[in-house]
Structures are given as C-alpha cells and as structure tokens.
C-alpha cells in the first residue's frame, strides 16, 4: 500500500531517534533544530499474533508480517506557517502523508535543549496544531475565493462553496478540520482540499526510560487527545534505540527488567496501521504465510490485486476461511469437510483476518 504516516513535532522531541529505531534507516539525530532536512521513509513491521496462530497449524518456511510506511519530517517551529525554519517545505511534506504521528516530549533532560526553554507537552501540541491550522487557513481562503467566483456561474458549485465556508469558520476559530462534524457529502466536497488538520492524528508520548509506566505529562496528553477524539501511544525512543542495537537474545530480559511485555514499537505499529484505515488478510501455503495490507472495505478482486495485478484482472473466485476455525479444526481439509471454507465472488468485501486462496485466469 502507498499510504504513509508522517512523524512530526517540535525540534529535539526525539523524532529522529525514534525513526532510527523503527526503521534502521540512519536518519541523522542531533541536538539542534533541522537536523533532518529531507523526509526519510522507512517501514515498520506490524506485529500480528494471528500469523503465529496460522503457523501453529500450517508448517511453512517463512512467516511475513505486513508493514506500515513511516516518513520522518523535520521539526516544525512557531511561525512555520509563514515560512519560519523552512516551514513551507516541511508543511508540504506533512501535506503529502495520509496520517500524522505527533511526537510529544514528555521527559526532562538538561542536556537536550527545548526550543521554548522548558517542557510543556500541551503547549508543544498547541504550537504544532496552530501552525497547521494557519497553513490550512491560507489554503482554504484561496480555495474559497475560487469557489465563490465559480459558483456565480454554476449553481452546482454552491454546495462546495458553502462547505468551504464552514471549513473556514472552524479554522478561524482554531478548530482542526478533523474535529468538525461533517456529513458524507461535505467530506466528499473537501476531498481535494488537502487539509493537513483533516488527517487522523496519533500522539506519541516520548518518555524517559524510568517513566515508561506512570508519567503525569502523559496523563495530560491523554486527556487532551481524548477530548478531540485522537489516540495516544507511550514510547521511550531511548529504550527503542537501545533495543535496536541489542542482540535478540538479550531483548526479552531487558524488557522484563523494565516491566514491559513488548517493545513500544509494537503498539505504535498497530495503532498507526489502524489510524491509516488499513486491514489485513492472509495467505498460507507450504512456502510462506503472509499478511497483506488492504484499505478497509476492499473487495476480493482488489485484495487479489495487492498480491499481483494479474490476480485482479483474471479474478474468478476466492476461497475464504477464518483463523479461529482453522485452529479449532486443525487443517484446511477439515475446514472443507465442516463447510467452513467459503467460496466468494467479486462483490465480496474482505473482512480483517480472512485467510484467502484466490482462483484466477490470465
């Protein structure tokens, strides 16, 4: 899938440290603003216990998870909407992604400077949000001028004009576009508007190693996020950076000593995947068991096309079963005998967790 989530935040909140850990892409990390100028793109595997459930029944050589694409975007500063700190360039990078992961600093460290001098996660969130709203406001104002002129000669454009006015009113009041109640028709009208604040947002609280469990700053961010309907993930970029360089056999003991059951990247990957509106289906055979990514609501031929375009073009039917039935019955042969292996056609909407065998003719 081409969908991407972009990591944003103020300088020195830990974005590039986190990105290095989750992708091993080598993004530069330094104690000064703008250490990342061009956006770096990496992939983050999405842990999924369902893969091992399938593998417990079907022996295979490889088990391959799906991934999400993450873009590391340089730090924004106050005034970015009017070009401060290479703001126009960075805002353009944010506008091109599909969801926003806003890294929020929730740790104290005298050796890592903060652009505003002290640590206040809510102020940092509001700084970023204000800059994104101001950037959207500029775009919406220009869009509105075009729609007003066009609607004078074409009454069919009046709805789009009025919807844009609703958008302008919200932005002018300091409300992100995603926080406004829109009808499906209004959302369709705004589909080409490229509003940054319309993008789904996840707040990533970067904490110190000794405050992964229990942090008052995280509590404040969680309360703020809940009020606007966004999610929160707690992670220590420093811990993740240490794990990335640690031998695999030592990682479980390290996590256990910290009271953690899994690396912070695991829930980050799952939450990002959900934020992007993605689902997974699986294929299983002698050579490999694999998770595949689809947009939520995809049809069976569209899912087939994720594997290969020829599968979609020549789609005939798909055999589908659920993992829980496979685990209960113990084999695909038993699924067939029990009538648990369904045959679906081109109109079938894929459900998250389907195991699928495609039949096609090219």
């Amino acid at each position: 899938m081409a969908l991407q989530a972009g990591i944003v935040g103020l300088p020195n909140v830990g974005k590039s440290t986190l990105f290095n850990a989750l992708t091993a892409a080598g993004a530069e990390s330094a104690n000064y603003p703008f250490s990342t100028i061009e956006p770096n793109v990496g992939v983050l595997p999405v842990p999924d216990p369902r893969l091992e459930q399938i593998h417990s029944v079907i022996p295979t050589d490889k088990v391959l998870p799906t991934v999400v694409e993450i873009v590391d975007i340089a730090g924004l500063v106050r005034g970015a909407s009017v070009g401060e700190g290479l703001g126009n360039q960075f805002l353009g990078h944010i506008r091109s992604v599909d969801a926003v992961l806003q890294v929020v600093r929730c740790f104290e460290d005298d050796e890592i400077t903060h652009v505003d001098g002290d640590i206040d996660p809510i102020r940092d969130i509001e700084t970023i949000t204000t800059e994104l709203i101001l950037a959207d406001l500029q775009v919406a104002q220009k869009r509105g001028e075009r729609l007003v002129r066009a609607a004078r000669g074409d009454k069919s454009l009046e709805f789009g004009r009025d919807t844009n006015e609703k958008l302008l009113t919200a932005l002018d009041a300091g409300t992100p576009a995603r926080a406004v109640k829109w009808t499906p028709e209004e959302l369709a009208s705004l589909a080409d508007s490229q509003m940054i604040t319309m993008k789904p947002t996840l707040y990533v609280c970067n904490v110190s190693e000794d405050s992964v469990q229990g942090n008052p700053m995280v509590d404040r961010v969680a309360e703020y996020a809940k009020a606007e309907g966004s999610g929160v993930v707690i992670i220590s970029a420093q811990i993740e950076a240490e794990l990335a360089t640690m031998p695999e056999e030592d990682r479980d003991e390290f996590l256990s000593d910290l009271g953690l059951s899994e690396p912070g990247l695991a829930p980050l990957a799952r939450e990002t995947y959900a934020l992007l509106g993605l689902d997974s289906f699986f294929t299983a055979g002698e050579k490999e068991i694999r998770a595949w990514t689809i947009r939520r609501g995809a049809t069976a031929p569209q899912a087939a096309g994720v594997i290969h375009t020829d599968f979609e073009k020549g789609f005939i039917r798909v055999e589908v079963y659920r993992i829980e039935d496979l685990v209960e019955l113990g084999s695909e042969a038993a699924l067939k005998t029990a009538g648990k292996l369904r045959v679906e056609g081109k109109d079938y909407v894929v459900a998250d967790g389907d195991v699928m065998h495609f039949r096609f003719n090219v």
Side-chain angles (χ1 to χ4, degrees):
M1 300 296 291
L3 297 183
Q4 296 179 326
I7 297 179
V8 304
L10 294 175
N12 295 343
V13 298
K15 301 185 313 304
S16 292
T17 300
L18 180 60
F19 183 80
N20 287 344
L22 65 85
T23 65
E28 182 183 5
S29 178
N31 184 24
Y32 55 87
F34 320 125
S35 62
T36 307
I37 301 302
E38 295 298 329
N40 299 278
V41 182
V43 294
L44 176 60
V46 181
D48 194 328
R50 296 175 296 185
L51 285 165
E52 288 305 320
Q53 289 178 318
I54 300 171
H55 196 215
S56 69
V57 177
I58 301 176
T60 190
D61 296 332
K62 292 186 293 185
V63 178
L64 303 174
T66 189
V67 299
V68 290
E69 289 192 9
I70 308 292
V71 181
D72 182 29
I73 300 170
L76 288 172
V77 295
R78 191 174 284 107
S81 59
V82 292
E84 290 293 328
L86 302 179
N88 292 333
Q89 181 181 349
F90 299 159
L91 288 167
H93 293 154
I94 298 172
R95 207 175 292 280
S96 68
V97 299
D98 303 283
V100 174
L101 308 180
Q102 186 174 153
V103 181
V104 185
R105 180 170 171 174
C106 294
F107 66 90
E108 298 277 359
D109 189 330
D110 293 338
E111 295 183 3
I112 301 178
T113 59
H114 190 287
V115 291
D116 288 326
D118 60 345
I119 310 303
D120 184 339
I122 303 303
R123 179 198 59 206
D124 292 354
I125 290 173
E126 291 177 343
T127 295
I128 294 292
T129 300
T130 296
E131 294 303 324
L132 299 185
I133 287 174
L134 290 173
D136 276 354
L137 193 57
Q138 293 175 28
V139 173
Q141 286 170 340
K142 293 178 181 177
R143 185 174 184 268
E145 292 169 1
R146 292 195 302 270
L147 285 169
V148 167
R149 289 195 300 268
R152 290 172 186 156
D154 187 348
K155 290 189 177 296
S156 67
L157 299 176
E158 291 180 351
F159 180 78
R161 177 202 62 195
D162 295 343
T163 301
N164 196 78
E165 283 296 324
K166 179 178 175 180
L167 172 65
L168 280 168
T169 299
L171 294 172
D172 197 47
T175 303
R178 66 178 177 275
V180 179
K181 291 184 178 180
W182 303 103
T183 67
E185 294 77 16
E186 287 172 334
L187 285 173
S189 174
L190 292 169
D192 65 344
S193 65
Q194 293 189 310
M195 291 293 104
I196 298 174
T197 62
M198 188 71 83
K199 299 178 189 298
T201 297
L202 178 70
Y203 294 107
V204 183
C205 293
N206 185 16
V207 302
S208 60
E209 185 174 313
D210 59 1
S211 64
V212 176
Q213 298 178 354
N215 184 312
M217 287 188 279
V218 171
D219 295 338
R220 292 178 61 204
V221 174
E223 184 178 351
Y224 183 97
K226 183 179 180 180
E228 71 169 31
S230 296
V232 173
V233 167
I234 303 167
I235 197 166
S236 170
Q238 192 57 47
I239 289 176
E240 302 306 317
E242 291 180 44
L243 285 169
T245 61
M246 191 177 293
E248 189 171 351
E249 59 269 20
D250 297 335
R251 294 175 187 173
D252 287 345
E253 182 178 353
F254 180 66
L255 288 169
S256 179
D257 289 344
L258 294 170
L260 302 175
S261 59
E262 63 179 355
L265 294 180
L268 177 61
R270 290 191 291 264
E271 290 294 329
T272 301
Y273 200 70
L275 191 71
L276 288 165
L278 302 176
D279 281 337
S280 297
F281 72 91
F282 304 93
T283 54
E286 293 181 0
K287 293 184 177 181
E288 69 175 31
I289 296 169
R290 182 165 178 170
W292 301 88
T293 301
I294 51 171
R295 292 177 186 266
R296 195 164 298 141
T299 62
Q302 290 170 333
V306 172
I307 301 175
H308 197 288
T309 53
D310 285 348
F311 283 29
E312 182 173 6
K313 292 176 183 176
F315 178 87
I316 299 173
R317 65 183 183 277
V318 62
E319 297 172 353
V320 186
Y321 62 83
R322 300 297 295 176
I323 296 171
E324 55 268 30
D325 292 331
L326 175 69
V327 173
E328 179 184 352
L329 296 173
S331 70
E332 291 187 343
L335 287 170
K336 291 181 182 179
T337 301
K340 295 291 187 178
L341 192 148
R342 312 186 315 275
V343 176
E344 302 287 356
K346 64 181 181 180
D347 294 328
Y348 176 68
V349 176
V350 180
D352 183 55
D354 278 347
V355 184
M356 310 182 80
H357 292 299
F358 294 98
R359 305 303 178 194
F360 65 99
N361 181 30
V362 178

